[in-house]
Amino acid sequence: MSEAPVLNDGNNLIFVSIAAYRDPQLVPTIEDCIGKARHPERLRFGICWQHSPGEDTLPFVSNDCFRILAVDWRESKGACWARSEVMNLWQGESWFLQIDSHCRFASEWDAKLIKEAEQTGSLKPVLSTYAAPFTPGGNEILVDSPLQMAFQGFTDDGIPFMKPMAIPGGQMLNLPRRARFLSAGFLFAPGSIAEELGYDPDLYFLGEETAMTLRAFTSGYDLFHPFETIVWHDYGRPTAIKHWDDHTKANNTKREWHEIDSQSKNRVMRLLAGGLMDRYGLGSARTIGDYEEYAGLSFKLRKVQDYTLRSEEPPNPEIAPDWAGQIFTWLVRITINRAILPPEALDDPEFWYVGVYDEDRNEIYRRDIPSSQLATLPAEEPRISLICELESGSIPARWRVQPVSRSRGWLSKIEGVLAEEDYAIVAEDDPE
């Protein structure tokens, strides 16, 4: 076990916020955080430990550098509620770091984050991204692969959702890259963000990052991705207990998770429309229109500029005011000869990556088809047709399918060129 930090009131204190829900990785995460820091004595931890009664007490509970809220899991209201509770434990530390409870850290991560924040030249920088993946265990491999958050699509409710994507030329960068979105699982900012923004306890999951992005941007914070990999995240967690697993009618909890989720989505949609006027509404330093211009999207029209789809660095270049009218909804048909698929693609699939590209080979659409949907494909048909609906100002030109097997990982990719009869513009309904 890493030695716990000793109380020190020097400069550059970092408040580390962790919301942990019945997570056995909590202690290893804290130990790695302390062990990899250049200045562990400057760390202050705020933890919302949502656990089962009777579990062993956390080993750090008596250390003055830890502020721990111990909560019976039945009383939990979700991750955003827990993060809000932890944010209330901030006591004026210079820096604020929010992470998930299943992470690993780069050597001297604390010094690196502070240096990168200073390199931005911003008085109110936020460094955030989807952390690189790792798998806990005896041989934990931490690969340096800096990632950015790329726009993936809008939900049926009009809430944007994002995907991780490698930063082009990431290994050659030496300065933070401007970002469009913030990640809830890795966010580093001046400590003032805890006081100025707070964390909306009534959000649940989907839309949390969009809400925090808008609230930070309109409050004058500048968004950046780190140019190096600083935090790794365990995305697999096949045996982990999730909040939505527990908070069901069968467990007699006070509120079922879907009730909290429905309320949360309504709040996010009100925020996107500029109608959320309480403590957790938009800031006054910038407008929601400023953000849409910066990020290259329209919440009202549910449209995204191609520059944004290509994940090029913001702010987006100036474009005609009627740009959304040049973004069309396309229906694309991909046809695959079953005979050229590797056997594991159908016998042992985890998912299939499906991508559509324009004539310059820019990805304008991505979808990961899970094994449950692959199981519904016609078993005897010699040709498999996949239908994709996407929005772009570019004409779809090429496609790629790459299956992922449970036993062998990524399999060989299959590519093709779209014929004119394979794509068409479809009529759109007004989102209002």
Side-chain angles (χ1 to χ4, degrees):
M1 179 183 295
S2 299
E3 186 176 347
V6 178
L7 195 64
N8 178 295
D9 290 327
N11 293 326
N12 281 338
L13 298 182
I14 300 176
F15 180 80
V16 183
S17 167
I18 306 177
Y21 187 83
R22 307 186 68 182
D23 189 354
Q25 278 295 312
L26 173 59
V27 171
T29 294
I30 296 172
E31 291 177 347
D32 200 68
C33 182
I34 296 169
K36 300 281 185 60
R38 179 189 290 182
H39 295 290
E41 73 280 1
R42 296 178 182 171
L43 304 182
R44 303 290 180 269
F45 289 86
I47 301 169
C48 186
W49 181 40
Q50 300 152 91
H51 65 104
S52 295
E55 282 187 41
D56 292 339
T57 303
L58 294 178
F60 316 101
V61 69
S62 61
N63 189 296
D64 289 338
C65 293
F66 287 81
R67 303 158 202 162
I68 300 174
L69 295 173
V71 179
D72 188 314
W73 66 262
R74 297 169 186 81
E75 302 299 319
S76 170
K77 300 173 185 175
C80 295
W81 167 83
R83 287 175 175 141
S84 178
E85 292 291 299
V86 174
M87 197 173 262
N88 291 332
L89 300 176
W90 174 76
Q91 295 181 3
E93 288 82 4
S94 299
W95 299 99
F96 177 87
L97 173 66
Q98 180 172 286
I99 56 169
D100 283 338
S101 55
H102 28 276
C103 290
R104 297 295 182 269
F105 297 80
S107 177
E108 300 193 347
W109 62 267
D110 51 336
K112 290 177 178 178
L113 281 175
I114 292 173
K115 180 180 178 181
E116 287 207 28
E118 293 171 345
Q119 285 178 316
T120 66
S122 170
L123 295 177
K124 299 173 75 172
V126 183
L127 290 165
S128 184
T129 192
Y130 285 142
F134 89 103
T135 301
N139 183 28
E140 295 181 351
I141 300 173
L142 305 179
V143 178
D144 185 12
S145 54
L147 298 175
Q148 61 179 320
M149 296 175 68
F151 176 87
Q152 184 165 358
F154 287 103
T155 68
D156 291 340
D157 297 317
I159 300 173
F161 58 99
M162 288 69 77
K163 62 185 176 183
M165 181 179 286
I167 298 177
Q171 301 296 340
M172 305 298 292
L173 296 178
N174 56 13
L175 290 173
R177 175 185 172 96
R178 285 195 175 268
R180 289 181 178 85
F181 307 105
L182 301 181
S183 166
F186 167 36
L187 183 156
F188 183 75
S192 58
I193 199 170
E195 185 173 42
E196 290 185 12
L197 262 66
Y199 218 89
D200 190 342
D202 291 323
L203 298 189
Y204 188 66
F205 183 69
L206 184 63
E208 169 191 8
E209 293 172 333
T210 298
M212 197 62 177
T213 294
L214 278 177
R215 294 183 58 232
F217 186 89
T218 57
S219 297
Y221 286 85
D222 299 314
L223 319 181
F224 297 89
H225 293 317
F227 67 83
E228 57 188 320
T229 308
I230 295 178
V231 174
W232 286 261
H233 182 280
D234 177 18
Y235 290 98
R237 310 180 68 223
T239 61
I241 302 172
K242 311 297 195 305
H243 188 274
W244 46 83
D245 295 327
D246 279 337
H247 289 255
T248 63
K249 186 175 182 180
N251 284 336
N252 294 317
T253 51
K254 290 183 178 178
R255 294 185 69 194
E256 296 183 54
W257 74 269
H258 63 84
E259 296 174 351
I260 308 173
D261 184 51
S262 178
Q263 172 186 300
S264 171
K265 290 176 182 175
N266 287 334
R267 283 185 66 79
V268 174
M269 288 187 285
R270 285 171 58 200
L271 182 74
L272 297 185
L276 190 63
M277 307 304 293
D278 61 18
R279 163 82 169 84
Y280 303 105
L282 299 174
S284 58
R286 298 176 179 133
T287 68
I288 194 168
D290 292 333
Y291 175 77
E292 291 177 313
E293 183 177 340
Y294 169 86
L297 49 78
S298 168
F299 294 117
K300 180 180 179 180
L301 300 177
R302 303 181 189 181
K303 298 281 188 178
V304 180
Q305 296 173 16
D306 283 352
Y307 185 91
T308 300
L309 287 176
R310 295 194 298 269
S311 296
E312 298 194 47
E313 186 173 8
N316 279 39
E318 189 174 347
I319 193 170
D322 61 349
W323 65 265
Q326 304 304 311
I327 305 298
F328 302 106
T329 301
W330 300 88
L331 209 59
V332 176
R333 180 183 60 205
I334 297 173
T335 304
I336 307 169
N337 186 341
R338 181 186 291 268
I340 67 174
L341 285 168
E344 295 87 354
L346 292 168
D347 297 338
D348 181 39
E350 181 74 26
F351 66 89
W352 287 8
Y353 159 84
V354 178
V356 178
Y357 302 80
D358 64 18
E359 60 183 6
D360 295 321
R361 295 181 183 270
N362 296 307
E363 182 185 78
I364 57 176
Y365 171 85
R366 171 178 178 161
R367 176 187 176 195
D368 292 341
I369 305 179
S371 57
S372 58
Q373 292 185 22
L374 294 171
T376 66
L377 294 174
E380 304 301 326
E381 296 291 336
R383 301 174 77 80
I384 296 173
S385 290
L386 304 175
I387 305 300
C388 309
E389 184 175 319
L390 60 102
E391 292 194 348
S392 176
S394 300
I395 300 173
R398 308 182 64 88
W399 59 267
R400 176 187 299 169
V401 172
Q402 188 167 11
V404 177
S405 162
R406 290 191 179 93
S407 59
R408 291 184 52 203
W410 288 94
L411 305 176
S412 57
K413 57 189 174 186
I414 304 162
E415 297 179 307
V417 176
L418 293 167
E420 288 189 9
E421 60 268 23
D422 291 328
Y423 58 88
I425 295 175
V426 296
E428 301 179 42
D429 296 325
D430 188 329
E432 293 185 334

